[in-house]
Amino acid sequence: MLAVRTLSIMKRPITMASTPSTPPSPQSLPSKTTSLRTLSSKKPRNILTNPIPEEDPKWVPLNLSRSELYLPLTFPTGQTFRWKQTGPIQYTGVVGRSHLVSLKQLDNGDVGYYFHYTTSDSESSAAKVALLDFLNVGISLTEVWESFKASDKRFAELAVHLGGARVLRQDPIECLIQFICSSNNNIKRITMMVDFISSLGNYLGAVGGFKFYEFPSLERLAMVSEQELRAAGFGYRAKYIVGTVEELQSKPGGGMEWLAALRKVDLPEAIVLLCSLPGVGPKVAACIALFSLDQHHAIPVDTHVWKIATRYLLPELAGTSLTPKLCNRVADAFVRTYGKYAGWAQTLLFIAELPSQKALLNSTEEKSPNSKKRKLGGITKVSKE
């Protein structure tokens, strides 16, 4: 198991729901629906009665600077597989189980949002609260980054180019099922599996050529057999998903309540309880804890994180093989260096090692005139003369 220190998490005060909203009752929606304009009315917007042609949305600013949220460093980085890129620096997904929303990085660096479909009475009510909750805005990324930069020179150099890489606060059931799908898998196949699971939920609409759905309830997931999942390409993971759904349904108060309660226990206990579910090992448990359960110092350790750790935090272990015991040492090393938000630091260091981000860093810096290349960890950094 992951041996990680138990630390108190301090957040900036914010008023919002502590758990994802309850899904609405099932709706029968058309199979082809364009995105919808946000309407101000006392009744929830309904795709059936208010369809309009897709047009350039009127983006509402979130008042989050690029240093607080940069979409390309947050969404396509392995935290979630439900969000799709639907335009230039634009990503679309579902928050609060039933609100279909797009986010776009605006020219001034701010992030704008646009609800295509929502069951809220107005933009400023449940849908907006669900969006802010999902984006974890109660945590100041700028303040967290400053503490990291003070404790690690390499992080300070990377942070200049990778600001805005935010950790999301996902629905625990969505996150759990997604990361069971991710085990020993590749991005293309994970996305295919998650898309299949999502399609079992109520249809919400289409944006940028992608169809979006509510994530199915445990009751709906329980109706899917292992054979159906295997036929859809899930392989051995099919039995784990079926088994986990059955296990969650047997929990007192229901699986959603049981998972949400893990936000209030110490990390080691959360890891042990998550690992009691079929198909959940220490790494998957750490991902779920970090990305949905407010366990901000959880460290998902795999071979990529192991390489980062042995290169910068535990050089004395370079050349050795990763074992469960060494996973604990890696997790402890991250917490020792970065503190109560160590999982956020690990996320940025992981992103920095992705080929797409290395190329982006190099491309950005090479545009600077009178510059000189030097190696920054695994990244070529260009500094001005």
Side-chain angles (χ1 to χ4, degrees), residues 133-165:
D133 181 67
F134 174 76
L135 294 175
N136 241 340
V137 298
I139 297 172
S140 168
L141 195 60
T142 302
E143 293 177 9
V144 172
W145 258 216
E146 286 303 316
S147 68
F148 293 162
K149 289 189 286 187
S151 60
D152 181 7
K153 181 180 178 181
R154 177 173 177 269
F155 189 99
E157 293 176 313
L158 286 175
V160 173
H161 309 284
L162 296 176

Side-chain angles (χ1 to χ4, degrees), residues 8-162:
S8 60
I9 305 301
M10 298 297 294
K11 289 188 177 183
R12 202 165 52 193
I14 184 166
T15 302
M16 59 174 58
S18 60
T19 57
S21 56
T22 304
S25 57
Q27 306 173 54
S28 175
L29 299 175
S31 60
K32 293 182 180 179
T33 309
T34 55
S35 61
L36 305 178
R37 179 165 40 222
T38 301
L39 304 177
S40 297
S41 66
K42 294 184 179 180
K43 295 182 179 180
R45 281 178 295 136
N46 188 303
I47 295 177
L48 279 172
T49 58
N50 293 314
I52 63 170
E54 187 166 342
E55 59 183 39
D56 290 335
K58 295 180 179 179
W59 300 102
V60 181
L62 277 172
N63 297 318
L64 287 175
S65 65
R66 174 171 167 161
S67 63
E68 284 293 327
L69 175 61
Y70 186 50
L71 302 178
L73 292 179
T74 299
F75 286 98
T77 55
Q79 290 191 61
T80 176
F81 303 94
R82 291 247 294 155
W83 283 65
K84 310 294 184 184
Q85 184 168 3
T86 52
I89 324 184
Q90 176 183 320
Y91 297 85
T92 302
V94 181
V95 297
R97 303 303 291 268
S98 59
H99 311 296
L100 178 58
V101 63
S102 286
L103 298 174
K104 184 177 179 64
Q105 207 84 40
L106 305 178
D107 291 340
N108 65 357
D110 196 354
V111 174
Y113 69 91
Y114 174 80
F115 284 109
H116 302 274
Y117 173 75
T118 176
T119 54
S120 294
D121 290 344
S122 67
E123 286 184 18
S124 60
S125 57
K128 176 77 176 291
V129 169
L131 175 60
L132 296 177
D133 181 67
F134 174 76
L135 294 175
N136 241 340
V137 298
I139 297 172
S140 168
L141 195 60
T142 302
E143 293 177 9
V144 172
W145 258 216
E146 286 303 316
S147 68
F148 293 162
K149 289 189 286 187
S151 60
D152 181 7
K153 181 180 178 181
R154 177 173 177 269
F155 189 99
E157 293 176 313
L158 286 175
V160 173
H161 309 284
L162 296 176

Side-chain angles (χ1 to χ4, degrees), residues 70-365:
Y70 186 50
L71 302 178
L73 292 179
T74 299
F75 286 98
T77 55
Q79 290 191 61
T80 176
F81 303 94
R82 291 247 294 155
W83 283 65
K84 310 294 184 184
Q85 184 168 3
T86 52
I89 324 184
Q90 176 183 320
Y91 297 85
T92 302
V94 181
V95 297
R97 303 303 291 268
S98 59
H99 311 296
L100 178 58
V101 63
S102 286
L103 298 174
K104 184 177 179 64
Q105 207 84 40
L106 305 178
D107 291 340
N108 65 357
D110 196 354
V111 174
Y113 69 91
Y114 174 80
F115 284 109
H116 302 274
Y117 173 75
T118 176
T119 54
S120 294
D121 290 344
S122 67
E123 286 184 18
S124 60
S125 57
K128 176 77 176 291
V129 169
L131 175 60
L132 296 177
D133 181 67
F134 174 76
L135 294 175
N136 241 340
V137 298
I139 297 172
S140 168
L141 195 60
T142 302
E143 293 177 9
V144 172
W145 258 216
E146 286 303 316
S147 68
F148 293 162
K149 289 189 286 187
S151 60
D152 181 7
K153 181 180 178 181
R154 177 173 177 269
F155 189 99
E157 293 176 313
L158 286 175
V160 173
H161 309 284
L162 296 176
R166 178 170 284 275
V167 170
L168 301 170
R169 189 178 194 255
Q170 300 179 56
D171 176 283
I173 289 180
E174 287 187 32
C175 193
L176 168 61
I177 299 299
Q178 288 183 83
F179 279 96
I180 290 178
C181 292
S182 76
S183 180
N184 297 314
N185 213 343
N186 59 65
I187 297 294
K188 182 178 180 180
R189 193 161 177 237
I190 297 167
T191 302
M192 177 272 293
M193 293 178 181
V194 172
D195 285 349
F196 177 85
I197 292 289
S198 298
S199 70
L200 302 174
N202 294 324
Y203 179 68
L204 296 177
V207 181
F210 296 99
K211 293 181 178 180
F212 294 89
Y213 303 83
E214 290 180 1
F215 197 80
S217 65
L218 284 175
E219 291 72 24
R220 176 65 183 93
L221 289 172
M223 297 169 62
V224 184
S225 68
E226 179 181 337
Q227 290 71 26
E228 288 176 287
L229 291 175
R230 285 186 177 274
F234 283 68
Y236 68 85
R237 299 167 195 82
K239 66 179 179 181
Y240 293 146
I241 291 175
V242 170
T244 288
V245 170
E246 290 177 353
E247 188 75 19
L248 289 174
Q249 285 191 302
S250 71
K251 300 295 185 185
M256 187 65 217
E257 182 178 321
W258 182 81
L259 282 171
L262 299 185
R263 288 175 168 167
K264 299 178 181 179
V265 304
D266 292 339
L267 176 58
E269 182 181 354
I271 295 296
V272 169
L273 291 171
L274 287 169
C275 285
S276 70
L277 298 173
V280 178
K283 182 209 166 181
V284 168
C287 289
I288 298 163
L290 176 61
F291 299 137
S292 71
L293 298 178
D294 299 338
Q295 302 285 357
H296 303 294
H297 54 296
I299 307 295
V301 179
D302 59 9
T303 54
H304 302 290
V305 175
W306 168 247
K307 289 178 181 177
I308 294 170
T310 55
R311 193 183 305 152
Y312 305 110
L313 301 178
L314 298 167
E316 67 275 16
L317 296 180
T320 60
S321 299
L322 181 61
T323 65
K325 185 176 180 180
L326 289 180
C327 283
N328 296 342
R329 285 191 62 182
V330 169
D332 285 341
F334 270 97
V335 174
R336 211 165 39 242
T337 303
Y338 299 109
K340 60 188 178 184
Y341 290 102
W344 292 53
Q346 177 267 333
T347 299
L348 181 136
L349 297 174
F350 175 81
I351 291 171
E353 296 295 318
L354 296 174
S356 59
Q357 300 309 324
K358 287 184 179 181
L360 178 63
L361 286 170
N362 294 340
S363 173
T364 300
E365 289 301 314

